[in-house]
Amino acid sequence: MLYAIIGEDRPGTLDQRLASRPAHLERLQALQAEGRLILAGPCPAIDSPDPGPAGFTGSLIVAEFASLEAARAWADADPYVAAGVYAGVTIKPFKKVLPA
């Protein structure tokens, strides 16, 4: 089943986010290589694809996992969690409708 993983950034953690980004992307690339990643990306803090020092407010990942518990375990091991970037992470089952 698909799950939406929504990470909410803690204010003032852009430096930690940037330092942890390579390890974060490596895990996402592994999901992609397994054919389980639907989409992933950050939410800029301002209306710009490159927010510069304004940073980000969080991230959205939609990926396939065997269960909600498996999605939670994967999210809990994210480098952004370990670095203190995320203030919280919400995981919800997700039903993709479009594009078909």
Side-chain angles (χ1 to χ4, degrees), residues 6-66:
I6 305 138
E8 297 287 340
D9 282 20
R10 193 178 312 278
T13 58
L14 180 58
D15 289 341
Q16 293 97 312
R17 175 183 263 274
L18 295 175
S20 302
R21 187 170 187 264
H24 173 78
L25 289 178
E26 186 176 319
R27 297 178 79 237
L28 291 170
Q29 289 164 344
L31 283 179
Q32 184 177 17
E34 295 168 4
R36 297 170 43 204
L37 182 66
I38 303 302
L39 66 88
C43 301
I46 60 173
D47 190 13
S48 172
D50 181 3
F56 301 91
T57 61
S59 301
L60 170 64
I61 299 164
V62 178
E64 183 179 350
F65 292 93

Side-chain angles (χ1 to χ4, degrees), residues 48-91:
S48 172
D50 181 3
F56 301 91
T57 61
S59 301
L60 170 64
I61 299 164
V62 178
E64 183 179 350
F65 292 93
S67 66
L68 181 60
E69 294 78 19
R72 168 60 64 194
W74 187 90
D76 286 347
D78 193 286
Y80 286 171
V81 171
V85 174
Y86 289 156
V89 177
T90 302
I91 302 173

